[in-house]
Amino acid sequence: MKSLLLIFLAVTLETTVAQETRSLDFDEVTIKDGVRFRIFTPKEKREQYKLLVFLPGGTGSDDFTPWCHAIYKQAIPEDFIGVQMISPPWANQNNVWPSSYSEDRGIKVSIEKVFEEVVKETAKRLKLEDDAIYTFSWSSGGPAAYLIAASNRDVKGHFVAMSVFREIWLPKQLRNVKDQRFFIYHSPDDTICDFRLTDVAKKTLEEEKADVRIQTYDGGHGWTQGHGHFTDIRKGFEWLTAKE
């Protein structure tokens, strides 16, 4: 009986996610090597947009589209277009966002290169502002965001939530983070990703002349407050996009 109940709940959840996803406004794009990403319909039509690229946590799958879409529509400034990256086909549960520093031989293209291709493909469809590329990541997506920051000077800011930071993961080009901004969002109650690493990230990134701000929240690992996080996200983007 218990097994049947678990199967029923799993199917119900899968159906609910599928229904929620179908009701959202986005275009799915497939590029070489079977890489997929989703472009959310702009809140309002503009001549050009700032770009926000989501790197979800967990499995990095398209199951996170409803949450990414909700963040984009409810908490991100009007002049942004939102793009959700989906973990590439060669990823696995132990390596959700395979990087150039991964030891997995099955990696076709690093996530740093995939990110660049996603930005280029988005720019073909929508006119993007110069020097206005940002990332939004959480949990397993955070390390990928840090690697992208270290390999791409064109990215201006990063909202990194409930994730980890280890300098050893980063390439020698860590100096590329100079003048980039990092809004690190983490709960001191997190038992999955060590909160103490936020201080390591801040110290390391600031040594390379990046701007870093840490914001805490209650509740442990995950989006424990649901839409209650939107206020903090808005404040984060006010800071990330503020003029010098």
Side-chain angles (χ1 to χ4, degrees), residues 138-157:
W138 70 88
S139 197
S140 59
Y146 286 126
L147 283 163
I148 288 167
S151 64
N152 193 323
R153 284 186 182 274
D154 294 332
V155 185
K156 291 301 175 184

Side-chain angles (χ1 to χ4, degrees), residues 174-175 177-179 203-210:
L174 186 60
R175 61 183 179 276
V177 304
K178 180 182 178 181
D179 297 328
K203 180 178 182 294
T204 304
L205 295 169
E206 286 183 339
E207 286 176 350
E208 300 297 334
K209 309 303 182 185

Side-chain angles (χ1 to χ4, degrees), residues 24-30 37-42 84 125:
L24 304 179
D25 297 323
F26 63 83
D27 292 320
E28 182 166 303
V29 181
T30 302
F37 66 96
R38 290 174 170 177
I39 303 175
F40 299 133
T41 302
Q84 178 194 350
R125 292 164 165 74

Side-chain angles (χ1 to χ4, degrees), residues 52 54 67 70-72 74-77 136 138 159 161 183 185 215 223 226-240:
L52 175 61
F54 288 94
W67 181 236
I71 292 172
Y72 171 64
Q74 301 297 326
I76 304 303
F136 189 111
W138 70 88
F159 190 109
F183 190 91
Y185 192 53
Q215 173 70 45
W223 298 105
H227 290 191
H229 289 287
F230 288 173
T231 298
D232 287 339
I233 294 173
R234 292 188 194 100
K235 290 179 180 178
F237 273 84
E238 286 177 5
W239 180 77
L240 285 172

Side-chain angles (χ1 to χ4, degrees), residues 136-200:
F136 189 111
S137 62
W138 70 88
S139 197
S140 59
Y146 286 126
L147 283 163
I148 288 167
S151 64
N152 193 323
R153 284 186 182 274
D154 294 332
V155 185
K156 291 301 175 184
H158 309 266
F159 190 109
V160 183
M162 61 198 79
S163 192
V164 295
F165 177 93
R166 288 188 175 86
E167 187 178 1
I168 194 173
W169 291 347
L170 297 179
K172 294 179 181 179
Q173 296 90 335
L174 186 60
R175 61 183 179 276
N176 283 343
V177 304
K178 180 182 178 181
D179 297 328
Q180 293 187 40
R181 287 185 172 183
F182 296 81
F183 190 91
I184 302 176
Y185 192 53
H186 208 154
S187 171
D189 309 318
D190 195 333
T191 59
I192 304 298
C193 295
D194 192 347
F195 176 76
R196 292 173 297 179
L197 291 176
T198 58
D199 290 329
V200 176

